[in-house]
């Protein structure tokens, strides 16, 4: 295999995982980012949930999510080969619960859809769910368990990837890239999230989708409040609660396209209110922070992953699945840089697909 000099544009989880994979394969890698570790990854929940996070009518995304989950242990092992820094990787699984009877109907319909697509979901009685997680509300109307849905702690994991990259010989250059032609490298892979649109001359149809995220601190007398990731539906609104080993608890699930980059009072209120409906003990936790992240969305919610020239590969637009799909982005991005056939069919992720749509309108 020919060793190349490779420039990775972007030091979020996609760029870092890709850079580490390329460096491990022997390439000379440089990562360009004027503010590493500060993008969408910093505000992400970190759920590795190819089953719980399915969305109706997004069937082309399902095999990508499933394969990414299967490849994730490989990415964790690769990171641990180069650093002892923690990743927050946990495999307790996920509980999905319904607040009332209408939410239970939603949960049952979703479970039927998941089963129809070959996904493993175990129905539980609410009593069985509360035996697994005693802090759950006794008023819940339904529950399922998904053993295959896991988690990482994104801020820990991206820092671990950064350190692993350094140990693997990756050079970091804290500069903003504005012209790909000016980058001195044999190959360039653009992992710059929303910034990939400008860098590719508007080829990619990317838009910011904001999500409010709340971080809480679990008091010692309550810890651990929960051990599984708990997802729920409250009056048809999604909510998730993610427990961490450092005694923090992450709440999320809002989504808005209002061009307001700061966390919104309405979103934070919704998250706290719905989390308390699912796990009443949340009310006794300490408030740490609220942030908002801008995820790079595409018109069909599928990523852009493919080659756009003999020298440039694009890896962006991962929307709400960026943490999960990092393992797939790293492996397939490296294969594209090496001009190898990707390990999974990426035809649905073609970078030019929406540019073609606009030309024919």
């Amino acid at each position: 295999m020919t060793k190349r000099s490779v420039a990775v544009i972007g030091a979020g989880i996609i760029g870092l995982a890709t850079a580490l994979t390329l460096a491990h394969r022997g390439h000379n890698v440089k990562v360009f980012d004027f503010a590493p570790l500060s993008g969408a990854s910093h505000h992400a929940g970190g759920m590795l949930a190819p089953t719980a996070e399915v969305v109706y009518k997004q069937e082309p995304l399902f095999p990508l999510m499933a394969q990414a989950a299967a490849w994730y242990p490989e990415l964790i092992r690769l990171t641990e080969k180069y650093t002892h820094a923690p990743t927050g990787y946990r495999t307790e699984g996920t509980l999905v619960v319904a607040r009332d009877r209408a939410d239970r109907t939603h949960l049952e319909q979703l479970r039927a859809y998941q089963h129809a697509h070959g996904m493993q979901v175990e129905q539980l009685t609410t009593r069985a769910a509360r035996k697994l997680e005693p802090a759950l509300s006794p008023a819940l109307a339904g529950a399922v368990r998904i053993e295959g849905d896991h988690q990482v702690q994104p801020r820990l994991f991206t820092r671990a990837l950064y350190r692993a990259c350094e140990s693997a010989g990756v050079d970091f250059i804290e500069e903003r890239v504005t012209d790909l032609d000016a980058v001195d490298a044999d190959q360039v892979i653009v992992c710059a999230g929303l910034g990939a649109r400008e860098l590719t001359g508007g080829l990619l149809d990317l838009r910011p989708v904001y999500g409010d995220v709340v971080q809480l601190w679990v008091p010692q007398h309550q810890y651990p409040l929960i051990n599984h990731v708990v997802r729920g539906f409250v009056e048809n609104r999604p909510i998730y609660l993610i427990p961490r080993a450092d005694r923090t608890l992450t709440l999320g699930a809002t989504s808005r396209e209002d061009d307001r980059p700061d966390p919104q009072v309405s979103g934070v209120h919704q998250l706290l209110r719905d989390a308390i409906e699912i796990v009443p003990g949340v009310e006794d936790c300490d408030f740490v922070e609220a942030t908002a992240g801008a995820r790079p969305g595409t018109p069909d919610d599928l990523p852009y992953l493919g080659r756009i020239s003999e020298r440039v590969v694009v890896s962006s637009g991962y929307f709400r699945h960026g943490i999960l799909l990092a393992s797939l982005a790293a492996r397939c991005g490296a294969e594209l840089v090496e001009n190898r056939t990707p390990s999974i069919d990426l035809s649905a992720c073609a970078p030019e697909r929406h540019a073609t749509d606009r030309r024919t309108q």
Side-chain angles (χ1 to χ4, degrees), residues 30 61 105 123 141 185 226-227 243 270-271 315 332 340 359:
K30 294 181 179 179
L61 191 56
T105 298
Q123 187 170 13
I226 54 176
N227 288 298
Q270 174 188 313
L271 293 176
S315 183
C332 295
R340 297 166 57 196
R359 284 196 296 267

Side-chain angles (χ1 to χ4, degrees), residues 18 21-22 25 27 189 305 313 328-340:
T18 304
T21 301
L22 286 163
R25 295 186 180 194
H27 300 292
I189 180 163
L305 181 55
V313 172
L328 180 145
R331 176 187 284 224
C332 295
E335 290 167 341
L336 288 165
V337 166
E338 295 170 347
N339 286 311
R340 297 166 57 196

Side-chain angles (χ1 to χ4, degrees), residues 229-283:
V229 172
V230 175
R231 305 176 69 102
F233 297 105
V234 179
E235 298 178 356
N236 209 39
R237 295 184 300 271
I239 179 72
Y240 61 70
L241 303 87
I242 311 174
R244 313 293 196 188
D246 60 4
R247 285 177 48 193
T248 57
L249 184 68
T250 300
L251 312 180
T254 67
S255 184
R256 51 188 172 80
E257 299 185 40
D258 54 10
D259 293 323
R260 298 175 67 185
D262 295 316
Q264 300 300 299
V265 170
S266 60
V268 172
H269 176 257
Q270 174 188 313
L271 293 176
L272 292 171
R273 178 189 60 209
D274 292 349
I276 291 168
E277 287 287 323
I278 298 298
V279 179
V282 166
E283 198 164 21

Side-chain angles (χ1 to χ4, degrees), residues 50 62 120 132 190 205 232 260 292 336 345:
F62 299 167
Q120 301 300 310
L132 289 170
V190 181
D205 191 353
R260 298 175 67 185
L336 288 165
D345 181 10

